[in-house]
Amino acid sequence: MEQMLSGKHAVITGGSKGIGLAIGELFADHGAEVTLVARTADDLDGAVERLRERGATADAIQLDICDKAAVGEMVEGLGADFRCDVLVNNAGPILQGAPVLGSEDRKWLETFDTKVMGAVRLSRALAPSMPADGSGRVINVSGISGRSLLPEASASGMSNAAVTAFTSYLAEELKGKRINVNCISPGLIATQAWIDRAEERGAALGISGEAFMDRMAEDLGVHLARWAEPREVASVALFLASDMGSYVTGQVIAVDGGLANFVV
Ligand SMILES: NC(=O)c1ccc[n+]([C@@H]2O[C@H](COP(=O)([O-])OP(=O)(O)OC[C@H]3O[C@@H](n4cnc5c(N)ncnc54)[C@H](OP(=O)(O)O)[C@@H]3O)[C@@H](O)[C@H]2O)c1
């Protein structure tokens, strides 16, 4: 197989599970050294093991990206020789929301702190260690609720819209370093977190988790009439991380099977 990321070092937040782990696996298969970032040590150990079993050089950083001081300590620990070629800001909760009226501040702030401020903190921390030769990449993972109205998605929707805006501002700011900054906006992606949630919600309706997910894809009008596998998001991340995406910056790419129905 052609190795599209040989010699590159990728740091992936939320890399222990779901979309982040799928990105880590595909990047590893394409020759990248991969560092996974998340809070739960056991999950990180398992994920690193999976990458090493594929022959990759992989390690993990146990970090809560909401903890500004811990992010600072991480950077000090990395040392002056550390080089990050590709930063994937992916960590965050799956769809969060409630009716705006009567909602609690906590849910909104937690989602915002992880998805938006987490991406800001990690970009601030690692951009100085990125190359200025046109090969550096930042890839933010937002979510389609930031561009398209979904039911019960207010907290995620607001944060995802902010991640989109952050992508534009960071792309402008890092143009001097020739770092391409883009955003992937996933739709319905069948990660374990969603499979578990669907089981719960399906049970409450007396249907299986699978039937709940099928119904959700139908109700939301997904053109491709199905959920995506996490690797279908990873393949777009690979394009953006590699030389194939060399002339793409400041963009948002929806990976949503047609859910959002944009005219342009
Ligand atoms: N799945 C979808 O359908 C979908 C759709 C649109 C957008 N998205 C977005 O895609 C991203 C990944 O979603 P997913 O479905 O793959 O979720 P997931 O399977 O629940 O994985 C989330 C990852 O983020 C990590 N994480 C969460 N909070 C963190 C924190 N404060 N510091 C460090 N790591 C943290 C988790 O590990 P720890 O809990 O151990 O820290 C885990 O590795 C999220 O940003 C989500 O909003 C997903």
Side-chain angles (χ1 to χ4, degrees), residues 70-104:
V71 174
E73 283 165 25
M74 173 201 76
V75 174
E76 279 176 29
L78 294 174
D81 293 339
F82 182 82
R83 174 183 162 127
C84 170
D85 299 285
V86 181
L87 167 63
V88 183
N89 286 312
N90 160 79
I94 58 170
L95 211 58
Q96 302 291 323
V100 176
L101 304 187
S103 62
E104 300 266 344

Side-chain angles (χ1 to χ4, degrees), residues 63-202:
L63 174 74
D64 181 350
I65 61 170
C66 298
D67 183 340
K68 188 178 164 202
V71 174
E73 283 165 25
M74 173 201 76
V75 174
E76 279 176 29
L78 294 174
D81 293 339
F82 182 82
R83 174 183 162 127
C84 170
D85 299 285
V86 181
L87 167 63
V88 183
N89 286 312
N90 160 79
I94 58 170
L95 211 58
Q96 302 291 323
V100 176
L101 304 187
S103 62
E104 300 266 344
D105 288 3
R106 187 180 51 82
K107 203 38 115 189
W108 294 70
L109 293 171
E110 274 173 11
T111 306
F112 195 85
D113 201 15
T114 313
K115 287 217 69 157
V116 187
M117 290 313 299
V120 171
R121 290 184 193 105
L122 267 286
S123 303
R124 213 160 38 197
L126 295 184
S129 70
M130 297 183 79
D133 62 0
S135 66
R137 304 279 191 271
V138 178
I139 301 167
N140 298 320
V141 177
S142 63
I144 211 69
S145 61
R147 296 176 91 193
S148 186
L149 275 173
L150 299 189
E152 289 184 44
S154 52
S156 284
M158 184 186 77
S159 290
N160 287 329
V163 172
T164 304
F166 171 61
T167 300
S168 300
Y169 280 97
L170 193 67
E172 197 279 332
E173 192 169 326
L174 294 183
K175 68 184 179 194
K177 256 196 107 175
R178 299 179 59 208
I179 295 172
N180 297 17
V181 183
N182 290 292
C183 181
I184 295 175
S185 180
L188 300 183
I189 317 299
T191 58
Q192 194 58 48
W194 256 113
I195 291 168
D196 294 346
R197 182 184 280 186
E199 282 295 334
E200 247 174 60
R201 295 202 175 171

Side-chain angles (χ1 to χ4, degrees), residues 50-62:
R50 275 173 72 149
L51 298 195
R52 289 185 181 154
E53 278 166 8
R54 302 167 94 94
T57 304
D59 63 2
I61 298 175
Q62 187 185 4

